[in-house]
Amino acid sequence: MARRLVIAILAAGLPLAACKLVKNEPPQVASEAAGSVATSFDNPAFDPEKTVEEIWQPKLLPYLKAKAGPFAEVRALAPDEAGKRFGYRAVDSMPWTVAATVQGRITAADTGTRAATIEVDADGDGTADLTVQIGPVFKGTALRDSIDFISFNSFANQIEYAKFGKALNAHIYNATLAALPRDKLVGRTVMLLGVFTLDDPKAKPLVTPAELSLEAAP
C-alpha cells in the first residue's frame, strides 16, 4: 500500500516537473528579445554602403531634384497635395515624405551634440522655418522613405532595409556635412536639397539634406 502511494505521488508530480515556468516580460523586453533573435538572419555579405554609392549620383540625386519643389511652395500646400506633387509614401497609412529646395540664412546652430542641427530662415523674416540635420547622428529615415525606386521588398529582410537607411544618412554626412565649419555657421547663407516627413504639418520640418552648400564666407 505504501509503495502504491509513493508511485501515485510521483506520477502526480510529473506534469509539474515537465512544465517550464515562463516569466511574463514587459512588452519592451519581449521586443528586445525578438530583435536579438532576428539578428541571426543578418547577411554579412550585404554591403549597404556599396548599395548607396551605386545609386547616389546616377539615380537618387536626379530623382530628388526632379521631385523637389521650392520650400515655400511645398509648405503652402495641404499634406496630401504636397505629397502627391513633391513626395512619396510606400503605403497610404504612412505620412508623405517630400523633397524641397531651400535657400536661407542660418539663425542658430546646435553643434554640441552628435545629433547636430542648424536652424534656417527661408523667408527672410528673421525666424527659423526649418531645422536641418547635419549629423553625424540623424533622426529618422527620411532619405530612405523618399525613394520610390527602392522599397522594403528590394531587401532580404528588415535588418538590411534598416542598414540601407542608415547608410544613406552616413553618405551625406561623410560626403558633405562632416566638412562644415561648425563654429562658423550662424549668419551664413545655406543652399540645400532635402527631404522631410509630413507627419505633423503644423510643426517646423526636420530636414535631412541630400545636397548642401554654404555661400562663400565674407
Side-chain angles (χ1 to χ4, degrees), residues 28 63 75 81 184 201 208:
Q28 66 271 23
Y63 165 80
R75 288 292 283 168
E81 188 177 357
K184 299 176 182 178
T208 303

Side-chain angles (χ1 to χ4, degrees), residues 106-181:
I106 300 173
T107 61
D110 181 4
T111 57
T113 169
R114 285 177 56 78
T117 58
I118 54 175
E119 301 293 317
V120 178
D121 171 20
D123 59 11
D125 67 354
T127 302
D129 302 294
L130 60 149
T131 302
V132 181
Q133 303 195 86
I134 59 172
V137 174
F138 296 80
K139 295 178 181 177
T141 54
L143 279 173
R144 184 194 71 185
D145 298 339
S146 70
I147 302 171
D148 69 359
F149 57 86
I150 292 184
S151 70
F152 175 80
N153 294 327
S154 304
F155 300 88
N157 52 51
Q158 187 171 355
I159 296 171
E160 289 189 5
Y161 192 48
K163 286 185 174 182
F164 173 68
K166 291 181 66 175
L168 285 167
N169 292 340
H171 184 91
I172 183 60
Y173 176 77
N174 293 328
T176 301
L177 304 177
L180 292 176

Side-chain angles (χ1 to χ4, degrees), residues 53-71:
E53 186 69 33
E54 289 174 347
I55 68 166
W56 190 271
Q57 289 290 344
K59 295 193 69 174
L60 186 140
L61 288 181
Y63 165 80
L64 289 180
K65 289 175 180 179
K67 180 76 72 173
F71 178 78

Side-chain angles (χ1 to χ4, degrees), residues 89-107:
R89 62 181 178 185
V91 294
D92 290 346
S93 60
M94 293 176 62
W96 292 98
T97 300
V98 294
T101 55
V102 182
Q103 179 169 329
R105 179 178 173 273
I106 300 173
T107 61

Side-chain angles (χ1 to χ4, degrees), residues 29-55:
V29 175
S31 176
E32 290 170 3
S36 65
V37 173
T39 59
S40 65
F41 298 100
D42 198 1
N43 175 15
F46 174 63
D47 187 342
E49 290 79 14
K50 181 180 179 181
T51 302
V52 170
E53 186 69 33
E54 289 174 347
I55 68 166

